[in-house]
Amino acid sequence: MENLIKKAAKDLAKSKKVVVLTGAGVSVESGIPPFRGKGGIWEKIDPMEFAHIDSFMRDPAKVWNILIREMKDVIEKAKPNNAHIGLARLEELGILKSVITQNVDGLHQLAGNTDVIEFHGTFAFQRCLKCEKKIETSKVCLDEIPPKCECGGILRPDCVLFGEMIPPEHLFRSGKISRECEVMLVVGTSAVVYPASIIPVDAKESGAKIIEINPEKTPLTENISDYIIMGNAGEVLKEIVSEVELLL
Ligand code: OAD
C-alpha cells in the first residue's frame, strides 16, 4: 500500500486537472453509515420501500419516521473527516478541480471544496411538494410527521430518490468534466448505482487515469481502474496529501 500511495501522490502532483467522484464510504469515518455492505442502511431497510419516490408519495410519514428522521439526526452531528479535509487540501494545492459526490451530507463543502456537484441533490434543504419552497433542514420542526411547509404542503428531502431523474445540469456538467480530466480519484463508492457508476468509465474512455480508494474491490477495479488503494478514505487521503506536499 505504501508504494501505491507514493504512486498516487506522483500521479496527482504532476496533474492540474483532477476530479474526484465520491460515495458514501467517504463519510463513514464521519459516522454516517454507507448504504451497502457491513452496517449499510439497505441491509436494514429495503430501498424500494423507503427511498423510492412512489413509496414516499404513498406514505410520507412512514418514510420520514424510518429513514429521513434518522438521516437528519446523523447528518446534523457529522463533521468532515480526514478524507474530506484531504480533498479540500488538494484543491488548495491547485491539483483538484471539482468534486462529484453522490453524498447529500454537505461535508465536502464544509471541509472547503468550492466546486462540488451534488449528483444526488442535497439533504441541507427540504422541499415543499406543493409550492416547491425550500426550507433549511436544520430549521424543520419534527413535532408533526410528515413535517409541513407554511402553505400546508408536505416536505420532502431535496435529494434524488429512486425512480427520479438526476438533475440534467448535474448530469451534463459531470459528463463534461469527467471527459476533460487527466486523473479521476474514485473514493468510497460501490459504483453500482447508475448513472453515477458510468462517470469513471467516461473518464477512462477519454484518457484519464483512474485511481480508486476503497477497502473493498468494486466492479470498476479490474476493468476500469488503473489501480486501487485498499484502505479507509481518511487514512489513505491523509497520507497521499502528505506525500504530494513533499513533491511540490
Ligand atoms: P455504497 O453504500 O453503495 O458503497 C459504499 C462504498 O464505500 C463501498 O464500496 C465500501 O466498500 C466503501 N467504504 C466503506 N467504508 C469506507 C471507508 N472508510 N473509506 C472508503 N471507502 C469505504 O455507497 P454509494 O456508492 O455512495 O443513492 O451508493 C450510491 C448511491 O446508492 C447513493 O448515493 C444512494 C444509494 O442508494 C440514492 O439514494 C439515490
Side-chain angles (χ1 to χ4, degrees), residues 199-234:
I199 291 173
V201 180
D202 265 1
K204 177 76 175 183
E205 280 176 357
S206 306
K209 187 169 267 187
I210 312 294
I211 307 171
E212 259 190 288
I213 301 174
N214 197 314
E216 309 281 337
K217 289 188 177 178
T218 75
L220 300 172
T221 307
E222 309 296 343
N223 302 314
I224 301 297
S225 302
D226 287 78
Y227 51 98
I228 179 169
I229 304 177
M230 294 189 75
N232 291 333

Side-chain angles (χ1 to χ4, degrees), residues 7 34 46 69 85 106 173 202:
K7 188 172 155 76
D46 175 0
R69 194 198 269 275
I85 293 165
R173 184 132 191 275
D202 265 1

Side-chain angles (χ1 to χ4, degrees), residues 53-72:
I53 182 61
D54 295 345
S55 327
F56 185 86
M57 297 310 274
R58 243 189 331 267
D59 194 346
K62 177 169 130 180
V63 176
W64 263 100
N65 275 326
I66 303 291
L67 180 64
I68 309 174
R69 194 198 269 275
E70 172 87 6
M71 276 178 80
K72 181 171 174 338

Side-chain angles (χ1 to χ4, degrees), residues 77-114:
K77 285 197 201 103
K79 295 200 173 51
N81 66 55
N82 283 332
H84 304 101
I85 293 165
L87 292 171
R89 180 73 184 135
L90 287 179
E91 178 180 324
E92 227 170 47
L93 294 170
I95 292 170
L96 179 65
K97 293 291 173 265
S98 308
V99 177
I100 306 170
T101 187
Q102 296 162 84
N103 302 343
V104 296
D105 54 34
L107 293 179
H108 287 300
Q109 295 93 318
L110 215 55
N113 281 112
T114 58

